[in-house]
Amino acid sequence: MSEMSPLFKFFSILLVSLVSASSLVYGLDGIETIDVGGKPVSSVFAYSKLYINNEQDNNVTVLDTNTHKILKKIEVGKKPISSFLVGKNIYVNNFGDNFLSVIDGLTSLVTKSILVDSFPNYSRHAAAKLYVTNSGSDTISIINTTTESWLKNIKLGQSVTQPSAVFVTWGKVLVLNLWSANVTIIDEKTGSFKKLIPVSGSPIDGTVVGKKVYLYSPTHNTISIVDASKDAFADNITLETGSVSGTLIGTKLYVNHPTSNTVSVIDTASDSLLRTIPVWLSPMSSTLMGTHLYVNNSKGNSVSVIDTVTNTVTKTIPVEAGPVFSLRVGNKLYVHSADAGKISVIYQDAPLLNSLSSTTANGKYGIGAKIDISMIFDQPLLTGSTATVTLNNGVILTLSKVDGRSLFWEYVVATGQDKADLSVTSLKDVKIIGISGLQNTVYAIPTWKNLGDDKNIVIDSKITTTTPATPTPVELACRDTGMYRLCPLTKTP
């Protein structure tokens, strides 16, 4: 994923007025929407949680990516605009202050504040050091991430104004200086200033490809290339208009142009323009999912989906106002709609079946008792989803009620249906429709996630009253995917 320069992000989110937020909803053209706070402009993922920087509210929202519940809001400094994950620690750049807040990703607590210079806005980590650009003082700060302490500030050279981004490659630290049309080179080992390299336009962000660093400028219609191995300017690529960010896919660089509403495709092997793709209003950043590139159109309140095989737009997805940043977690894309104060969640795949369970308490149930039978999925479902289940006492039941991520129905106990431990033996006639509109008809019962694994429900037709066990919270099964852990939403009876 390409990260957009927080400095440009800070100014760009002022272009559209703030839209009032609402609670968690399903249904903005198949998008799950989460109200997270004032101007969410960026985030990092750690320990199944999304740490979202709310630039307006001066806090960080902690979102459980399994349940999409907000766990807490962490007070930090003024205008938290970007952050960087190092080990278990999240270093938050407080653009309106002169310090970084350090959050423990395991406990979600602020453990310390580290003084830097004025207006810290962007950071990059390499070899136990965090390099922080300070746009208000034209310096870069170095933090020792082992000891979590400040090491030094480095002046970036004469007539340097507003450092915007930093990259570490080929034993060098390259700092892009937004309004002075140059790049500062710092020796990574000694931490000492080496030289200034003049470039075209106003370098705001960049992408490292081997020894080359491609620099984007919103004010100039060229991309400057710096050869990091030689500490020298290498070439310019002339494009249609100014650019702000890009995403590298193989040898192709997809460059976002907010003023022309296009994405350029550059061959980094020959440094030539391959194609210009029209998208929607003001593309600011992009994220790759599979073979598709999701482009955030900040003024178009939408995400354009580019097939990177054919380099064509396959669809445009409406989202909440002002999408400026997105982060992929597994099969989900979290689009940060800064002007709406919300996260729009786009699902790439059809729903996955997490477990079969019940909100009915453990215990014995006789004739006439009602027992909930639920299929739990990894995403919200749409009405029209249905499945037929066969229970191990021979009862066949069609589930057709939808509640968030659950598909369920109430089974009413009748005579001759006794069973010591109720469970599901088979699924058929399945049609599951996710909030994205994607659907699936083939599902298997998850191993160790069946009704009988999660619950202990006994059917005894000889009793006339139910004898449930002491009510306890329903613990629905989680599923590890390797990248993250999926846990379904619980549903009250």
Side-chain angles (χ1 to χ4, degrees), residues 4 7 16 23 25 70 80 88 143 164 170 180 192 201 215 236 268 281 312 314 321 334 342 400 410 446 468 472 474:
M4 178 172 55
L7 181 60
V16 186
S23 58
V25 296
I70 292 177
K88 68 181 181 67
I143 294 171
S164 60
W170 286 80
S180 52
S192 57
L215 309 180
N236 278 330
T268 58
L281 301 178
T312 57
T314 59
Y334 293 85
K342 299 177 182 180
S400 60
E410 284 184 334
T472 56
V474 178

Side-chain angles (χ1 to χ4, degrees), residues 371-385:
I371 300 172
D372 165 88
I373 306 295
S374 296
M375 297 174 69
I376 313 298
F377 294 86
D378 71 327
Q379 62 180 271
L381 306 181
L382 295 183
T383 301
S385 296

Side-chain angles (χ1 to χ4, degrees), residues 279-313:
V279 285
W280 196 228
L281 301 178
S282 195
M284 297 294 289
S285 62
S286 52
T287 302
L288 182 67
M289 292 182 71
T291 60
H292 290 82
L293 187 66
Y294 290 72
V295 182
N296 300 309
N297 303 309
S298 64
K299 291 184 183 180
N301 303 335
S302 63
V303 174
S304 295
V305 183
I306 297 175
D307 184 328
T308 60
V309 177
T310 62
N311 285 334
T312 57
V313 174

Side-chain angles (χ1 to χ4, degrees), residues 1-2 205-209 212-216 223-225 237 239 243 245-257 263-277 286 293 306 308 311:
M1 182 199 69
S2 173
D205 201 357
T207 299
V208 177
V209 183
K212 297 184 288 188
V213 183
Y214 293 78
L215 309 180
Y216 312 115
I223 289 181
S224 293
I225 304 173
I237 302 174
L239 300 174
S243 56
S245 63
T247 299
L248 182 66
I249 305 174
T251 60
K252 295 185 290 187
L253 186 60
Y254 290 76
V255 180
N256 300 303
H257 304 280
V263 173
S264 294
V265 185
I266 294 173
D267 182 354
T268 58
S270 61
D271 289 334
S272 59
L273 177 64
L274 297 177
R275 188 165 188 170
T276 300
I277 306 171
S286 52
L293 187 66
I306 297 175
T308 60
N311 285 334

Side-chain angles (χ1 to χ4, degrees), residues 117-169:
D117 232 335
S118 59
F119 300 151
N121 70 336
Y122 194 98
S123 53
R124 187 77 63 176
H125 183 257
K129 294 177 183 177
L130 189 70
Y131 298 88
V132 183
T133 57
N134 303 301
S135 63
S137 54
D138 304 330
T139 62
I140 187 168
S141 297
I142 303 178
I143 294 171
N144 185 320
T145 55
T146 301
T147 61
E148 299 174 21
S149 59
W150 174 87
L151 289 177
K152 65 191 295 187
N153 291 335
I154 303 172
K155 290 294 292 183
L156 298 175
Q158 293 183 342
S159 302
V160 165
T161 53
Q162 289 195 342
S164 60
V166 58
F167 301 92
V168 183
T169 183

Side-chain angles (χ1 to χ4, degrees), residues 5 27 140 315:
S5 167
I140 187 168
K315 62 181 173 179

Side-chain angles (χ1 to χ4, degrees), residues 39 145 278 359 392 454 464:
K39 292 190 178 179
T145 55
T359 57
N392 58 352
D454 283 343
T464 57

